[in-house]
Amino acid sequence: MADPGPAFRSVSYDIRLTPDFATGVISGVERLRFQSLTGGLDTLSFTANHLAVNATLDGRPGIVTIATEGARRVFHLPHRVAKDQTATLILSFAGQPKRDVVFTPDEIHT
């Protein structure tokens, strides 16, 4: 079976990150603006991590259901996004990263 290709493309990211150097915990808000490349896009999928995450779509009421499926975190959108339409997934997150984030006394890097 042929790979169907990507379902969406990232248009922009805006991340506000607050590190707690004493505990190694990070928290923040990420705004991912994306464009649907398929008709009726209803899920977005990313590599899973150990952070607690909540999400909204375009800041409007409606529940974005989040599930971890294997090594993926899947965001089930409250409504379908039409082909070529753009939308913004707004994520709030917090927790202690288990990998790929290094704290030093005065900086954090991945």
Side-chain angles (χ1 to χ4, degrees):
M1 176 181 266
D3 181 358
F8 69 95
R9 75 173 183 90
S10 300
V11 175
S12 66
Y13 282 96
D14 178 42
I15 300 174
R16 307 288 181 202
L17 183 66
T18 304
D20 183 330
F21 289 93
T23 63
V25 169
I26 61 171
S27 61
V29 174
E30 176 180 352
R31 298 174 64 88
L32 166 61
R33 186 157 178 79
F34 64 93
Q35 178 184 29
S36 176
L37 300 177
T38 65
L41 179 68
D42 61 355
T43 61
L44 301 177
S45 175
F46 304 95
T47 303
N49 58 40
H50 290 71
L51 303 177
V53 178
N54 291 304
T56 63
L57 187 66
D58 294 323
R60 296 187 312 213
I63 297 172
V64 174
T65 306
I66 305 168
T68 300
E69 299 174 9
R72 307 295 293 174
R73 181 160 292 164
V74 180
F75 295 82
H76 298 273
L77 306 177
H79 59 83
R80 293 180 182 273
V81 180
K83 185 174 183 175
D84 297 326
Q85 180 181 353
T86 59
T88 303
L89 185 67
I90 303 169
L91 308 159
S92 58
F93 58 88
Q96 190 169 35
K98 302 294 183 201
R99 60 176 168 70
D100 301 331
V101 177
V102 177
F103 279 85
T104 66
D106 60 352
E107 69 180 17
I108 181 176
H109 59 89
T110 62

